[in-house]
Amino acid sequence: MIPKDHPRYESLIRREKIAEAAWDKIVAMEGVGSHGRGEAFDYLIGEKTTPSALIAEKTAAALLLNAKKPVISVNGNTAALAADQISDLQKKTGALVEVNLFHRTEERIQKITKLLEENGVIVLKGKTERLLPLSHDRALCIQEGIYSADVILVPLEDGDRCEKLVEMGKTVITIDLNPLSRTARTADLTIVDELTRAIANITEAAENMTQEQQKKLIENLDNKKLLKSAIKSIMENLSDAMDRKAQA
Amino acid sequence: MIPKDHPRYESLIRREKIAEAAWDKIVAMEGVGSHGRGEAFDYLIGEKTTPSALIAEKTAAALLLNAKKPVISVNGNTAALAADQISDLQKKTGALVEVNLFHRTEERIQKITKLLEENGVIVLKGKTERLLPLSHDRALCIQEGIYSADVILVPLEDGDRCEKLVEMGKTVITIDLNPLSRTARTADLTIVDELTRAIANITEAAENMTQEQQKKLIENLDNKKLLKSAIKSIMENLSDAMDRKAQA
């Protein structure tokens, strides 16, 4: 049992959820390692939403609200950590939710779909076809879902697939704690924040913005600036830690 | 299959080894996440041994060679990634090797011992007793091993246990890619480098140093300086990445 007053309680609970979901075959073994990488970066940004990440989250809400066909692509880690939050975000934005896995098996698709549905998500079902210009099963998606989306939110996405979605002309929003990753650099909008904090903030923003606020955020979107700001936050935290060490 | 010319080949191979070892119950599920955290920090230090890490590795060799009773504490991740290297290091330093696990089960102890022995390691066996001032099974170790060591190498160790070993008056050497972690800050000597690179460098140093070189390294040991230097390396890499972004 992790004590509730542990300074890193939330992070440790997420770690447990991911391990449990791995035993349940919802999260792939590779997903456990990815979660660890994310944890390290979250630790470095201070385990809180930075001001620039909050701008990114509000911009994501604006893009989803103004899309013709918004789609949220959900993988195992996202479902394990945020199934209930995805349901809220779907309600607020009217986005379709498609399960799309890197380490794809029919068993995992079924289990993740069930978990999402138990949490109130309406999961898009349909024939999966090889519609993305990628090798093997990473090409699979649904014609009426990801393939025809104009704006797509793909949390925790792999670099290759993110690149292809951008090349297909979609507006790609990702959530990625590593501001140096290929996904972070390729997406149109990168939220450098922990998944559950990010989804909560996007959902809240989607409830509370005027049309004008939305328009302004979209016009001012500058992903390079957002990424630089995230890197700067990490550097500031490291610099603070180094100063504390010098005094200790 | 990971292509050999992939720029991050070594790192991806290690990731595969850890996943396989998790399925084999050699690595705990928690160990898969820890490996991911380490990977993220390794990425930030540039996936290479920094000059200050090399000094730390040479100092580790000097400490092990000059110990009365050097012990290497091996956990699942260390065995999965470096069983053969531990054998070389043991031969060069004459250290005892004890299997000591955070997520301890008899099954894992047996499997890890077998893996090490297959790679030529002589594994210390004996009665495990609750000899460390810690709760539960984390207290267990062998009287003639870790308990009576004067110098102990504990790669990838947890903060609590590292602290207790230091309090017991032992010289504690750790290998930890996170220079901010409690383990890193508590140990007498922290090697901020990836495990397999670190063990290779310690072993090489153990072969090639004069008594005088060893004495000098031990006299000059300044762990705060080593940690600051590691943080500085990460900050330089981030700064370079930010400059590249600004130009892109």
Side-chain angles (χ1 to χ4, degrees), chain B residues 85-98:
Chain B
Q85 292 186 299
I86 294 291
S87 168
D88 289 342
L89 182 59
Q90 181 176 44
K91 285 193 189 88
K92 292 290 177 293
T93 59
L96 295 174
V97 170
E98 178 172 340

Side-chain angles (χ1 to χ4, degrees), chain B residues 108-127:
Chain B
R108 287 188 63 223
I109 296 272
Q110 298 300 339
K111 287 192 172 185
I112 292 165
T113 300
K114 185 161 169 272
L115 174 62
L116 289 169
E117 287 178 343
E118 283 166 0
N119 281 276
V121 178
I122 298 162
V123 178
L124 180 71
K125 283 163 194 169
K127 206 173 112 213

Side-chain angles (χ1 to χ4, degrees), chain B residues 18-224:
Chain B
I18 288 288
E20 279 167 29
W23 290 123
D24 292 345
K25 302 277 172 83
I26 283 172
V27 162
M29 190 61 88
E30 291 80 358
V32 182
S34 317
H35 182 78
R37 293 196 294 283
E39 251 187 59
F41 281 102
D42 196 20
Y43 179 87
L44 289 173
I45 68 161
E47 292 179 342
K48 61 181 190 307
T49 301
T50 63
S52 69
L54 189 58
I55 292 172
E57 285 151 359
K58 287 179 178 173
T59 310
L63 287 169
L64 290 169
L65 290 172
N66 287 276
K68 285 200 190 75
K69 187 159 188 180
V71 170
I72 306 169
S73 174
V74 173
N75 67 7
N77 286 39
T78 302
L81 293 172
D84 52 341
Q85 292 186 299
I86 294 291
S87 168
D88 289 342
L89 182 59
Q90 181 176 44
K91 285 193 189 88
K92 292 290 177 293
T93 59
L96 295 174
V97 170
E98 178 172 340
V99 177
N100 200 271
L101 306 181
F102 189 87
H103 300 282
R104 189 183 188 101
T105 66
E106 201 43 48
E107 185 195 11
R108 287 188 63 223
I109 296 272
Q110 298 300 339
K111 287 192 172 185
I112 292 165
T113 300
K114 185 161 169 272
L115 174 62
L116 289 169
E117 287 178 343
E118 283 166 0
N119 281 276
V121 178
I122 298 162
V123 178
L124 180 71
K125 283 163 194 169
K127 206 173 112 213
T128 52
E129 301 171 73
R130 293 181 194 282
L131 298 170
L132 303 184
L134 285 166
S135 59
H136 307 297
D137 287 355
R138 294 155 66 198
L140 290 169
C141 67
I142 299 176
Q143 175 95 44
E144 316 83 64
I146 288 173
Y147 184 73
S148 52
D150 58 339
V151 174
I152 176 164
L153 172 63
V154 280
L156 321 174
E157 184 54 286
D158 125 89
D160 277 342
R161 208 147 55 177
C162 182
E163 199 170 87
K164 294 304 169 196
L165 292 169
V166 169
E167 280 171 17
M168 287 164 81
K170 302 177 191 312
T171 300
V172 177
I173 307 165
T174 194
I175 303 173
D176 192 327
L177 275 156
N178 177 359
L180 309 177
S181 78
R182 202 150 52 90
T183 300
R185 288 181 284 124
T186 309
D188 296 290
L189 171 60
T190 304
I191 298 165
V192 183
D193 200 0
E194 186 278 321
L195 178 82
T196 65
R197 294 197 304 266
I199 304 269
N201 288 333
I202 300 170
T203 307
E204 198 190 317
E207 289 178 306
N208 298 314
M209 274 191 299
T210 63
Q211 262 297 337
E212 196 164 345
Q213 286 172 321
Q214 293 171 34
K215 213 182 126 203
K216 215 167 164 181
L217 283 163
I218 294 173
E219 277 171 11
N220 291 337
L221 168 53
D222 179 348
N223 207 41
K224 280 207 178 96

Side-chain angles (χ1 to χ4, degrees), chain A residues 54-208:
Chain A
L54 188 59
I55 292 171
E57 285 151 359
K58 287 179 178 172
T59 310
L63 286 169
L64 289 168
L65 289 172
N66 286 276
K68 286 202 190 72
K69 187 159 187 179
V71 171
I72 306 169
S73 174
V74 172
N75 67 9
N77 286 39
T78 302
L81 294 172
D84 52 341
Q85 291 187 300
I86 294 292
S87 168
D88 290 341
L89 182 59
Q90 181 176 45
K91 285 191 190 90
K92 292 289 176 292
T93 60
L96 295 175
V97 171
E98 178 171 340
V99 178
N100 201 271
L101 307 182
F102 190 87
H103 299 281
R104 189 184 187 100
T105 66
E106 201 43 49
E107 185 194 10
R108 287 188 62 224
I109 295 272
Q110 298 301 338
K111 288 192 172 185
I112 292 165
T113 300
K114 186 162 168 273
L115 174 63
L116 289 169
E117 287 178 344
E118 283 167 359
N119 280 276
V121 179
I122 298 162
V123 178
L124 181 70
K125 283 163 192 169
K127 206 173 112 214
T128 52
E129 300 171 73
R130 291 179 196 284
L131 297 171
L132 304 184
L134 285 165
S135 58
H136 309 296
D137 286 355
R138 292 155 66 199
L140 290 169
C141 67
I142 299 176
Q143 175 94 45
E144 315 83 66
I146 288 173
Y147 184 74
S148 54
D150 58 340
V151 173
I152 175 165
L153 172 63
V154 280
L156 321 175
E157 183 54 287
D158 126 89
D160 277 343
R161 208 148 53 177
C162 181
E163 198 170 87
K164 294 303 169 196
L165 292 168
V166 170
E167 281 172 16
M168 287 164 81
K170 301 177 191 313
T171 299
V172 178
I173 308 164
T174 194
I175 301 172
D176 192 327
L177 275 157
N178 177 0
L180 308 176
S181 78
R182 202 150 52 89
T183 300
R185 288 181 285 125
T186 310
D188 295 291
L189 171 59
T190 304
I191 298 166
V192 183
D193 200 0
E194 187 277 322
L195 179 83
T196 64
R197 293 196 306 264
I199 304 269
N201 288 334
I202 300 170
T203 306
E204 197 189 318
E207 291 177 304
N208 298 316

